[in-house]
Amino acid sequence: MPLAELTHGLRFAIGMLSAVPVRVDRVDREVAGPAMVAAPAVGLGLGAVAGLALLLPGPPLLGAALALGLLAGLTRGLHLDGLADLADGLGSGRPANDALDIMRKSDIGPFGVMTLVITLLVQAAALTGAGYPALVTACVAGRLALTWACRASVPAARPGGLGAMVAGTVSDPAAWLATTAALAVTAGLGLAAGTWAPPIALAAGLGAALLLLRHARRRLGGITGDVLGALVETGTAAALVVCAVLG
């Protein structure tokens, strides 16, 4: 793959997955694949920065809340919005086209609010006892889910939009390469912290996100931008819980 394409892909990933100001020169399917493969690396950076709030003096719960708030700010809250929209769409129990119409609306319904509250409570409670390496691991796990959701075997739920642009752009070898790199990084975090929890949490977070992806494909026919956002938050929450349980 040409170096220029990799550079464009990394810029695309940073611009799409964070609020970091970066010049994005190309937004097309050719660079979408490298962008989705680079997504875990963006997650690594986001977790490293957001986790600094955990190092502040004060009660652990306050640090966890500040870290999650900073993470939401660094991502413009887009993943949380996707989680709420998917919850409203799936929670409606309506056919795929009607559920997709619900997800496109700008307001948040009761299922979305309930899902956001529960997810953030779980994340905050788990992060309170898990610490810095757990947040970094969780951020990598959530973005690794994007890599797997954009494999060639996963279709878009509708034409147009972010889901259609990135769907099917990642090859299986590229997904496994990104996973291997993510496992190596989280294993290093675990060794530094004296625990094997991070790589196990990475696998658990990815597994939880893939279960949600399977359900979304069955109900909606494929992925959308909202589905991708929901996968990020699901993978993040599951990884944090495992880190908290394993210590």
Side-chain angles (χ1 to χ4, degrees):
M1 185 177 294
L3 179 60
E5 198 165 292
L6 290 173
T7 302
H8 286 304
L10 181 58
R11 288 178 177 174
F12 182 14
I14 295 173
M16 180 179 65
L17 299 176
S18 78
V20 176
V22 61
R23 188 182 69 186
V24 181
D25 298 315
R26 287 180 56 186
V27 179
D28 54 51
R29 286 183 59 82
E30 288 186 4
V31 300
M36 293 299 94
V37 174
V42 178
L44 177 65
L46 290 170
V49 174
L52 295 176
L54 297 170
L55 307 179
L56 296 174
L61 179 57
L62 176 60
L66 291 174
L68 292 174
L70 180 55
L71 181 60
L74 289 170
T75 59
R76 304 187 188 92
L78 291 178
H79 308 316
L80 291 169
D81 179 68
L83 176 66
D85 287 342
L86 180 62
D88 281 332
L90 296 181
S92 69
R94 297 183 181 181
N97 288 336
D98 292 339
L100 289 170
D101 287 338
I102 291 172
M103 291 165 60
R104 275 196 291 259
K105 295 179 179 179
S106 59
D107 60 332
I108 299 179
F111 282 105
V113 172
M114 178 177 63
T115 301
L116 279 180
V117 170
I118 293 174
T119 300
L120 288 172
L121 282 175
V122 168
Q123 290 181 356
L127 183 56
T128 298
Y132 188 93
L135 182 59
V136 177
T137 296
C139 288
V140 173
R143 279 76 188 170
L144 182 60
L146 299 180
T147 306
W148 282 83
C150 294
R151 287 173 299 142
S153 59
V154 183
R158 58 175 177 239
L162 176 62
M165 176 178 292
V166 300
T169 59
V170 177
S171 66
D172 284 348
W176 281 110
L177 178 62
T179 304
T180 302
L183 283 170
V185 169
T186 54
L189 287 171
L191 286 175
T195 174
W196 282 105
I200 297 173
L202 178 80
L206 178 59
L210 291 180
L211 286 175
L212 177 59
L213 174 62
R214 180 181 179 183
H215 181 58
R217 287 184 63 183
R218 185 169 62 247
R219 288 279 284 106
L220 304 175
I223 62 171
T224 68
D226 288 332
V227 171
L228 295 177
L231 295 179
V232 170
E233 294 299 334
T234 300
T236 299
L240 285 174
V241 168
V242 171
C243 280
V245 170
L246 296 181

